[in-house]
mmCIF file of all heavy atoms in Angstrom:
data_model
loop_
_atom_site.group_PDB
_atom_site.id
_atom_site.type_symbol
_atom_site.label_atom_id
_atom_site.label_comp_id
_atom_site.label_asym_id
_atom_site.label_seq_id
_atom_site.Cartn_x
_atom_site.Cartn_y
_atom_site.Cartn_z
ATOM 1 N N LEU A 55 -26.757 -24.027 -11.965
ATOM 2 C CA LEU A 55 -28.161 -23.524 -12.218
ATOM 3 C C LEU A 55 -28.667 -23.886 -13.560
ATOM 4 O O LEU A 55 -29.832 -24.303 -13.721
ATOM 5 C CB LEU A 55 -28.195 -22.017 -11.943
ATOM 6 C CG LEU A 55 -28.098 -21.538 -10.556
ATOM 7 C CD1 LEU A 55 -27.914 -19.992 -10.431
ATOM 8 C CD2 LEU A 55 -29.290 -21.884 -9.661
ATOM 9 N N LEU A 56 -27.798 -23.807 -14.579
ATOM 10 C CA LEU A 56 -28.230 -24.134 -15.899
ATOM 11 C C LEU A 56 -28.591 -25.581 -16.068
ATOM 12 O O LEU A 56 -29.487 -25.957 -16.791
ATOM 13 C CB LEU A 56 -27.128 -23.797 -16.936
ATOM 14 C CG LEU A 56 -26.931 -22.284 -17.242
ATOM 15 C CD1 LEU A 56 -25.639 -21.987 -18.076
ATOM 16 C CD2 LEU A 56 -28.151 -21.627 -17.938
ATOM 17 N N ILE A 58 -30.158 -27.369 -14.180
ATOM 18 C CA ILE A 58 -31.559 -27.610 -13.752
ATOM 19 C C ILE A 58 -32.495 -27.748 -14.941
ATOM 20 O O ILE A 58 -33.354 -28.572 -14.942
ATOM 21 C CB ILE A 58 -31.968 -26.606 -12.766
ATOM 22 C CG1 ILE A 58 -31.125 -26.650 -11.493
ATOM 23 C CG2 ILE A 58 -33.455 -26.636 -12.470
ATOM 24 C CD1 ILE A 58 -31.301 -25.481 -10.493
ATOM 25 N N TYR A 59 -32.267 -26.868 -15.916
ATOM 26 C CA TYR A 59 -33.213 -26.915 -17.112
ATOM 27 C C TYR A 59 -32.571 -27.405 -18.372
ATOM 28 O O TYR A 59 -33.302 -27.807 -19.291
ATOM 29 C CB TYR A 59 -33.728 -25.501 -17.383
ATOM 30 C CG TYR A 59 -34.585 -24.915 -16.160
ATOM 31 C CD1 TYR A 59 -34.006 -23.953 -15.303
ATOM 32 C CD2 TYR A 59 -35.887 -25.279 -16.080
ATOM 33 C CE1 TYR A 59 -34.756 -23.451 -14.315
ATOM 34 C CE2 TYR A 59 -36.625 -24.695 -15.017
ATOM 35 C CZ TYR A 59 -36.073 -23.806 -14.185
ATOM 36 O OH TYR A 59 -36.787 -23.310 -13.126
ATOM 37 N N PHE A 73 -35.624 -22.533 -24.086
ATOM 38 C CA PHE A 73 -36.623 -22.421 -22.995
ATOM 39 C C PHE A 73 -35.954 -21.551 -21.828
ATOM 40 O O PHE A 73 -36.610 -20.747 -21.281
ATOM 41 C CB PHE A 73 -36.890 -23.865 -22.565
ATOM 42 C CG PHE A 73 -37.841 -23.934 -21.336
ATOM 43 C CD1 PHE A 73 -39.164 -23.694 -21.496
ATOM 44 C CD2 PHE A 73 -37.308 -24.309 -20.047
ATOM 45 C CE1 PHE A 73 -40.000 -23.765 -20.399
ATOM 46 C CE2 PHE A 73 -38.232 -24.349 -18.991
ATOM 47 C CZ PHE A 73 -39.514 -24.052 -19.063
ATOM 48 N N GLU A 77 -38.190 -18.509 -21.437
ATOM 49 C CA GLU A 77 -39.366 -18.822 -20.596
ATOM 50 C C GLU A 77 -38.996 -18.867 -19.115
ATOM 51 O O GLU A 77 -39.816 -18.354 -18.375
ATOM 52 C CB GLU A 77 -39.864 -20.313 -20.892
ATOM 53 C CG GLU A 77 -40.115 -20.591 -22.428
ATOM 54 C CD GLU A 77 -41.512 -20.042 -22.804
ATOM 55 O OE1 GLU A 77 -42.407 -19.882 -21.888
ATOM 56 O OE2 GLU A 77 -41.712 -19.724 -23.967
ATOM 57 N N VAL A 78 -37.881 -19.356 -18.756
ATOM 58 C CA VAL A 78 -37.564 -19.379 -17.297
ATOM 59 C C VAL A 78 -37.179 -18.001 -16.833
ATOM 60 O O VAL A 78 -36.445 -17.310 -17.482
ATOM 61 C CB VAL A 78 -36.374 -20.333 -17.107
ATOM 62 C CG1 VAL A 78 -36.007 -20.468 -15.589
ATOM 63 C CG2 VAL A 78 -36.561 -21.746 -17.674
ATOM 64 N N PRO A 79 -37.780 -17.613 -15.683
ATOM 65 C CA PRO A 79 -37.508 -16.297 -15.174
ATOM 66 C C PRO A 79 -35.992 -16.087 -14.872
ATOM 67 O O PRO A 79 -35.415 -16.929 -14.227
ATOM 68 C CB PRO A 79 -38.275 -16.166 -13.842
ATOM 69 C CG PRO A 79 -39.390 -17.289 -13.953
ATOM 70 C CD PRO A 79 -38.715 -18.324 -14.864
ATOM 71 N N PHE A 80 -35.414 -15.039 -15.430
ATOM 72 C CA PHE A 80 -33.983 -14.714 -15.348
ATOM 73 C C PHE A 80 -33.122 -15.769 -15.848
ATOM 74 O O PHE A 80 -31.922 -15.781 -15.669
ATOM 75 C CB PHE A 80 -33.649 -14.433 -13.865
ATOM 76 C CG PHE A 80 -34.286 -13.212 -13.325
ATOM 77 C CD1 PHE A 80 -35.369 -13.299 -12.499
ATOM 78 C CD2 PHE A 80 -33.830 -11.999 -13.664
ATOM 79 C CE1 PHE A 80 -36.015 -12.191 -12.016
ATOM 80 C CE2 PHE A 80 -34.429 -10.843 -13.152
ATOM 81 C CZ PHE A 80 -35.506 -10.926 -12.361
ATOM 82 N N GLY A 81 -33.703 -16.697 -16.716
ATOM 83 C CA GLY A 81 -32.856 -17.764 -17.319
ATOM 84 C C GLY A 81 -31.823 -17.081 -18.322
ATOM 85 O O GLY A 81 -30.683 -17.477 -18.336
ATOM 86 N N ILE A 84 -28.818 -15.905 -16.160
ATOM 87 C CA ILE A 84 -27.947 -17.009 -15.684
ATOM 88 C C ILE A 84 -27.150 -17.532 -16.943
ATOM 89 O O ILE A 84 -25.869 -17.659 -16.812
ATOM 90 C CB ILE A 84 -28.804 -18.197 -15.195
ATOM 91 C CG1 ILE A 84 -29.727 -17.680 -14.072
ATOM 92 C CG2 ILE A 84 -27.871 -19.336 -14.687
ATOM 93 C CD1 ILE A 84 -29.115 -17.263 -12.711
ATOM 94 N N ALA B 24 -29.882 -8.257 -4.951
ATOM 95 C CA ALA B 24 -29.912 -8.123 -6.389
ATOM 96 C C ALA B 24 -29.447 -9.440 -7.052
ATOM 97 O O ALA B 24 -29.915 -9.747 -8.042
ATOM 98 C CB ALA B 24 -28.962 -6.984 -6.825
ATOM 99 N N TYR B 27 -32.296 -12.473 -5.837
ATOM 100 C CA TYR B 27 -33.737 -12.457 -6.279
ATOM 101 C C TYR B 27 -33.725 -13.202 -7.672
ATOM 102 O O TYR B 27 -34.643 -14.020 -7.826
ATOM 103 C CB TYR B 27 -34.235 -11.047 -6.408
ATOM 104 C CG TYR B 27 -35.579 -10.844 -6.996
ATOM 105 C CD1 TYR B 27 -36.732 -11.368 -6.322
ATOM 106 C CD2 TYR B 27 -35.743 -10.429 -8.301
ATOM 107 C CE1 TYR B 27 -37.975 -11.343 -6.855
ATOM 108 C CE2 TYR B 27 -37.063 -10.461 -8.861
ATOM 109 C CZ TYR B 27 -38.146 -10.815 -8.128
ATOM 110 O OH TYR B 27 -39.326 -10.773 -8.726
ATOM 111 N N PRO B 28 -32.909 -12.885 -8.646
ATOM 112 C CA PRO B 28 -32.977 -13.614 -9.942
ATOM 113 C C PRO B 28 -32.793 -15.113 -9.689
ATOM 114 O O PRO B 28 -33.499 -15.882 -10.333
ATOM 115 C CB PRO B 28 -31.851 -13.094 -10.752
ATOM 116 C CG PRO B 28 -31.550 -11.747 -10.190
ATOM 117 C CD PRO B 28 -31.875 -11.807 -8.741
ATOM 118 N N VAL B 29 -31.933 -15.527 -8.815
ATOM 119 C CA VAL B 29 -31.663 -16.933 -8.534
ATOM 120 C C VAL B 29 -32.929 -17.528 -7.932
ATOM 121 O O VAL B 29 -33.353 -18.737 -8.394
ATOM 122 C CB VAL B 29 -30.407 -17.183 -7.637
ATOM 123 C CG1 VAL B 29 -30.270 -18.627 -7.279
ATOM 124 C CG2 VAL B 29 -29.104 -16.686 -8.322
ATOM 125 N N ARG B 31 -36.016 -16.550 -8.318
ATOM 126 C CA ARG B 31 -37.044 -16.585 -9.264
ATOM 127 C C ARG B 31 -36.771 -17.715 -10.324
ATOM 128 O O ARG B 31 -37.674 -18.359 -10.852
ATOM 129 C CB ARG B 31 -37.131 -15.209 -10.080
ATOM 130 C CG ARG B 31 -37.808 -14.142 -9.315
ATOM 131 C CD ARG B 31 -39.350 -14.414 -9.102
ATOM 132 N NE ARG B 31 -40.046 -14.894 -10.240
ATOM 133 C CZ ARG B 31 -40.450 -14.113 -11.156
ATOM 134 N NH1 ARG B 31 -40.246 -12.779 -11.093
ATOM 135 N NH2 ARG B 31 -41.147 -14.503 -12.302
ATOM 136 N N TYR B 32 -35.476 -17.926 -10.615
ATOM 137 C CA TYR B 32 -35.063 -18.906 -11.592
ATOM 138 C C TYR B 32 -35.423 -20.320 -11.046
ATOM 139 O O TYR B 32 -35.816 -21.124 -11.784
ATOM 140 C CB TYR B 32 -33.525 -18.796 -11.813
ATOM 141 C CG TYR B 32 -32.942 -19.718 -12.780
ATOM 142 C CD1 TYR B 32 -32.866 -19.509 -14.125
ATOM 143 C CD2 TYR B 32 -32.296 -20.922 -12.254
ATOM 144 C CE1 TYR B 32 -32.259 -20.383 -14.937
ATOM 145 C CE2 TYR B 32 -31.710 -21.798 -13.222
ATOM 146 C CZ TYR B 32 -31.614 -21.518 -14.509
ATOM 147 O OH TYR B 32 -31.060 -22.362 -15.443
ATOM 148 N N LEU B 33 -35.281 -20.457 -9.707
ATOM 149 C CA LEU B 33 -35.514 -21.750 -9.150
ATOM 150 C C LEU B 33 -36.938 -22.012 -8.705
ATOM 151 O O LEU B 33 -37.410 -23.174 -8.645
ATOM 152 C CB LEU B 33 -34.625 -21.865 -7.876
ATOM 153 C CG LEU B 33 -33.083 -22.037 -8.146
ATOM 154 C CD1 LEU B 33 -32.381 -22.013 -6.925
ATOM 155 C CD2 LEU B 33 -32.786 -23.257 -8.877
ATOM 156 N N ALA B 34 -37.706 -20.923 -8.456
ATOM 157 C CA ALA B 34 -39.104 -21.077 -7.986
ATOM 158 C C ALA B 34 -39.994 -21.758 -8.952
ATOM 159 O O ALA B 34 -39.726 -21.507 -10.248
ATOM 160 C CB ALA B 34 -39.587 -19.733 -7.616
ATOM 161 N N PRO B 35 -40.964 -22.594 -8.517
ATOM 162 C CA PRO B 35 -41.874 -23.196 -9.476
ATOM 163 C C PRO B 35 -42.617 -22.101 -10.252
ATOM 164 O O PRO B 35 -42.938 -21.070 -9.759
ATOM 165 C CB PRO B 35 -42.814 -23.945 -8.582
ATOM 166 C CG PRO B 35 -42.251 -24.063 -7.282
ATOM 167 C CD PRO B 35 -41.239 -22.897 -7.164
ATOM 168 N N ARG B 36 -42.784 -22.328 -11.544
ATOM 169 C CA ARG B 36 -43.275 -21.240 -12.423
ATOM 170 C C ARG B 36 -44.759 -21.213 -12.350
ATOM 171 O O ARG B 36 -45.451 -22.310 -12.323
ATOM 172 C CB ARG B 36 -42.828 -21.476 -13.890
ATOM 173 C CG ARG B 36 -41.329 -21.328 -13.913
ATOM 174 C CD ARG B 36 -40.792 -21.730 -15.304
ATOM 175 N NE ARG B 36 -41.353 -20.938 -16.346
ATOM 176 C CZ ARG B 36 -41.985 -21.525 -17.368
ATOM 177 N NH1 ARG B 36 -42.162 -22.786 -17.424
ATOM 178 N NH2 ARG B 36 -42.432 -20.746 -18.344
ATOM 179 N N GLN B 39 -48.176 -23.456 -14.326
ATOM 180 C CA GLN B 39 -47.736 -24.745 -14.692
ATOM 181 C C GLN B 39 -48.642 -25.805 -14.064
ATOM 182 O O GLN B 39 -48.255 -27.011 -14.115
ATOM 183 C CB GLN B 39 -46.266 -25.020 -14.295
ATOM 184 C CG GLN B 39 -45.210 -24.091 -14.930
ATOM 185 C CD GLN B 39 -45.212 -24.377 -16.471
ATOM 186 O OE1 GLN B 39 -44.810 -25.393 -16.891
ATOM 187 N NE2 GLN B 39 -45.618 -23.362 -17.233
#
Side-chain angles (χ1 to χ4, degrees):
Chain A
L55 288 171
L56 286 174
I58 294 170
Y59 295 102
F73 179 73
E77 306 281 334
V78 182
F80 294 101
I84 307 288
Chain B
Y27 178 71
V29 173
R31 286 292 314 280
Y32 182 85
L33 293 172
R36 295 168 61 237
Q39 295 297 296

